Amino acid sequence: MTMSLVSSLIRRTTYPLYLRHRGLDGFLSKMDMMARLEKFSAVDLAELQLESLQNLMKHVYRNSPYYRQVFRDIGMTPSDIESIEDLRHFPVLTRDIIRDNMDQILAENYPPHTRAKSSTGGSTGQSLTFWRDHNCRDMKTAMEYNFKRWYGFEVGDKQLYFWGAAQDFDQHESFKARLVRSLATRSWFVTSSDLDDENLERTVQWIRKLKPKLVQAYPSIIYSFAKRIDSKNIRLNFDTIVCSAEQLFDYQREALEVIFGARVYNKYGSREFGSIAAECPKYKKMHYFAPGVILESVDSQGRPAGDKLGNLLVTDLWHYAMPLIRYQVGDLVRLEYSHCPCGSKLPKIAEVAGRVVDVVTKPNGKMITGMTLIKLIRKLEYKIQAQLIQKSPNYFEFNYVAEKPLSEQKMNIILNRFESVMESPVEIEFIQHDQLEREKSGKFRYVKSEVKPPFLS
């Protein structure tokens, strides 16, 4: 039996049965709806967004004490929401506000048994607990699988994860769990232990036999794997790789395409909202699913950032149990509204420049993305893995892994390049390590800044 026939059989039989047993089969009925929504015209998308926003506002006014008070504070009622721009009257929602007002934010008409608990990874500090009602969960899952369809993936196909978040997989699976995975969920995970030197060859052989249709990965993890097998002249081919959870750098994309012979795409999302945007198969920008979210990009004064990088605010149109309106994700993005060559009218995220807390602040107060300094290091072509920590506007800790210590000449070159970018004299402390640690979430942060940027002032 061919692999496509096996996938089709699983898609029609064992997978729906498994989902029904777990009470998770709601998203299957929403898949076709997602495919229809993404083909809406720009006018229809705008009308749907506004209608969904107005319905959400009526809901929070009736059922969420926190938002009812917000309406009073700004002197409005749901009937005053006549356009998407009226959202700007609402205050920004932050993690601290949620922690302090969780009971007041939760919708009173969604009792505990109607919602599912989850949490963020805490990669930039304390994690955040949040709740999602079952319909929202199903809508998010359907949207996620619809994104995968863009790349030729269908429910029932095999997918392999190079993943860092331990909470997403069972590291000690039972035989029953492995059987369910093979006959239903069709998702496998590569863990850090699978990539150890003593397990590397076994892992490669296992992946060859698995033949996943889609690979999803933290860019830093699969890039490290790719470089290691390439150095050992081991050949391994993938069809499609979708990177998410961390920033995907151009040099990583290029290496993955060459080493694995794969099509590489970028995806953007967060724990709070799930997948938000996925890269257009025909264009190097990401479409975000406007029927489900409203995105804003604002400057340090809270004004629309236009075609410049800004602080991302997300209003989730499906999140009813724990409404999130103008939630500050903590990422810098640039939105784009121009026509896409693919024909889709879904709006675009043109650029994700990383976490706001990873922004580097110059001594003169100006800000640059941490990516700028990472690209600078990459251009030097030194064989190192580096992580930068900005301790003060003119002082950096440069942590790195290399076969031998950086020479004084190379350190001076790095220092000179930094000073050119920072437009000021800086001090760099170079520290060699055996390995650089990941965050609790499994993500690797290339840049950390302990200098508070204006966005968080």
Side-chain angles (χ1 to χ4, degrees):
M1 188 180 295
T2 66
M3 190 171 298
S4 59
L5 287 176
V6 172
S7 295
S8 178
L9 182 63
I10 288 174
R11 180 161 57 248
R12 297 171 184 274
T13 57
T14 55
Y15 190 47
L17 288 172
Y18 164 77
L19 291 175
R20 194 171 300 126
H21 174 69
R22 296 286 306 276
L24 301 172
D25 57 329
F27 85 90
L28 291 174
S29 63
K30 296 176 169 59
M31 290 284 293
D32 290 340
M33 179 180 65
M34 294 298 160
R36 290 196 304 271
L37 290 176
E38 71 173 26
K39 292 180 173 61
F40 273 24
S41 68
V43 172
D44 288 341
L45 282 172
E47 290 180 352
L48 177 62
Q49 261 198 337
L50 179 57
E51 180 183 357
S52 297
L53 176 63
Q54 290 171 333
N55 289 335
L56 176 66
M57 290 302 192
K58 293 173 185 175
H59 163 72
V60 300
Y61 188 78
R62 288 193 299 263
N63 300 296
S64 172
Y66 171 81
Y67 286 109
R68 195 155 49 240
Q69 185 60 49
V70 167
F71 269 108
R72 293 173 184 149
D73 292 343
I74 63 177
M76 295 178 69
T77 66
S79 61
D80 296 317
I81 306 298
E82 298 178 343
S83 69
I84 299 298
E85 286 69 31
D86 287 330
L87 258 180
R88 297 174 192 166
H89 295 290
F90 272 66
V92 171
L93 182 67
T94 66
R95 290 188 176 193
D96 286 342
I97 291 175
I98 291 175
R99 291 189 188 101
D100 293 342
N101 299 274
M102 175 68 79
D103 292 340
Q104 298 297 301
I105 291 173
L106 288 170
E108 295 170 329
N109 61 330
Y110 281 85
H113 71 275
T114 65
R115 59 192 192 221
K117 181 180 180 181
S118 190
S119 63
T120 61
S123 59
T124 58
Q126 187 178 355
S127 65
L128 173 70
T129 296
F130 61 94
W131 303 87
R132 187 174 291 160
D133 59 86
H134 297 166
N135 180 69
C136 178
R137 176 199 62 199
D138 293 341
M139 295 289 276
K140 299 288 185 183
T141 305
M143 182 182 64
E144 164 74 13
Y145 273 92
N146 193 61
F147 280 149
K148 293 177 184 179
R149 277 177 169 176
W150 293 2
Y151 312 126
F153 179 90
E154 294 288 348
V155 173
D157 289 338
K158 293 179 180 179
Q159 51 187 332
L160 177 66
Y161 289 81
F162 285 80
W163 217 240
Q167 67 265 38
D168 290 336
F169 58 90
D170 185 353
Q171 300 183 66
H172 306 286
E173 283 190 314
S174 64
F175 172 76
K176 180 181 177 181
R178 291 195 296 271
L179 186 64
V180 167
R181 187 176 300 282
S182 298
L183 298 178
T185 63
R186 307 283 275 173
S187 298
W188 286 264
F189 287 83
V190 173
T191 66
S192 57
S193 63
D194 295 323
L195 302 178
D196 291 343
D197 287 337
E198 60 268 26
N199 295 325
L200 185 63
E201 183 62 34
R202 177 189 58 79
T203 298
V204 170
Q205 294 299 330
W206 169 69
I207 292 174
R208 283 198 183 116
K209 292 179 181 178
L210 184 66
K211 296 180 180 178
K213 178 73 173 179
L214 182 72
V215 173
Q216 299 196 79
Y218 280 40
S220 64
I221 294 177
I222 196 169
Y223 173 76
S224 175
F225 174 67
K227 298 298 286 184
R228 286 176 64 198
I229 66 170
D230 188 52
S231 68
K232 298 176 182 293
N233 293 315
I234 298 173
R235 301 273 69 87
L236 182 63
N237 294 321
F238 292 132
D239 179 34
T240 304
I241 300 172
V242 177
C243 292
S244 60
E246 299 170 337
Q247 193 164 357
L248 174 64
F249 294 98
D250 290 341
Y251 72 86
Q252 293 172 326
R253 183 195 292 266
E254 292 166 4
L256 297 178
E257 290 174 342
V258 171
I259 294 171
F260 295 119
R263 298 171 298 163
V264 179
Y265 300 102
N266 200 9
K267 189 177 70 172
Y268 174 71
S270 72
R271 284 282 170 184
E272 298 92 326
F273 302 103
S275 294
I276 293 174
E279 187 173 324
C280 175
K282 299 180 180 179
Y283 187 54
K284 294 294 184 181
K285 304 290 175 68
M286 290 186 286
H287 288 291
Y288 66 87
F289 206 75
V293 292
I294 296 172
L295 303 190
E296 300 174 73
S297 178
V298 300
D299 64 17
S300 57
Q301 304 302 313
R303 299 169 301 202
D307 60 356
K308 296 182 174 60
L309 283 172
N311 197 3
L312 178 65
L313 305 180
V314 180
T315 296
D316 194 316
L317 300 174
W318 297 333
H319 231 305
Y320 270 49
M322 180 178 160
L324 299 174
I325 298 173
R326 304 198 83 207
Y327 176 78
Q328 182 174 272
V329 176
D331 287 330
L332 286 173
V333 305
R334 182 165 59 86
L335 303 181
E336 183 176 309
Y337 301 93
S338 62
H339 172 73
C340 182
C342 78
S344 173
K345 304 305 179 185
L346 292 174
K348 298 186 293 294
I349 296 178
E351 180 183 1
V352 179
R355 305 290 294 174
V356 171
V357 290
D358 295 341
V359 167
V360 172
T361 304
K362 296 181 180 182
N364 61 14
K366 294 181 181 179
M367 295 182 299
I368 59 173
T369 64
M371 187 195 311
T372 304
L373 296 179
I374 294 299
K375 286 182 176 179
L376 181 154
I377 297 168
R378 290 293 306 174
K379 287 179 180 179
L380 295 174
E381 297 185 350
Y382 297 160
K383 293 183 178 180
I384 60 173
Q385 180 190 13
Q387 181 186 67
L388 307 176
I389 301 179
Q390 186 181 28
K391 296 288 188 177
S392 70
N394 58 1
Y395 175 68
F396 288 89
E397 193 176 276
F398 190 109
N399 299 294
Y400 70 97
V401 175
E403 291 182 358
K404 58 182 180 180
L406 287 169
S407 66
E408 186 173 348
Q409 179 188 21
K410 289 182 177 180
M411 288 191 288
N412 285 332
I413 291 173
I414 293 173
L415 177 61
N416 291 334
R417 297 288 179 89
F418 269 48
E419 290 184 336
S420 176
V421 171
M422 298 294 288
E423 302 178 279
S424 176
V426 298
E427 181 182 352
I428 302 177
E429 181 182 2
F430 292 90
I431 306 173
Q432 186 178 10
H433 299 265
D434 293 330
Q435 66 178 20
L436 299 177
E437 297 298 323
R438 293 179 175 274
E439 304 296 314
K440 292 180 181 179
S441 63
K443 298 180 183 180
F444 181 77
R445 291 177 64 192
Y446 292 88
V447 178
K448 300 181 183 182
S449 179
E450 296 177 3
V451 179
K452 195 173 185 179
F455 280 116
L456 300 181
S457 298

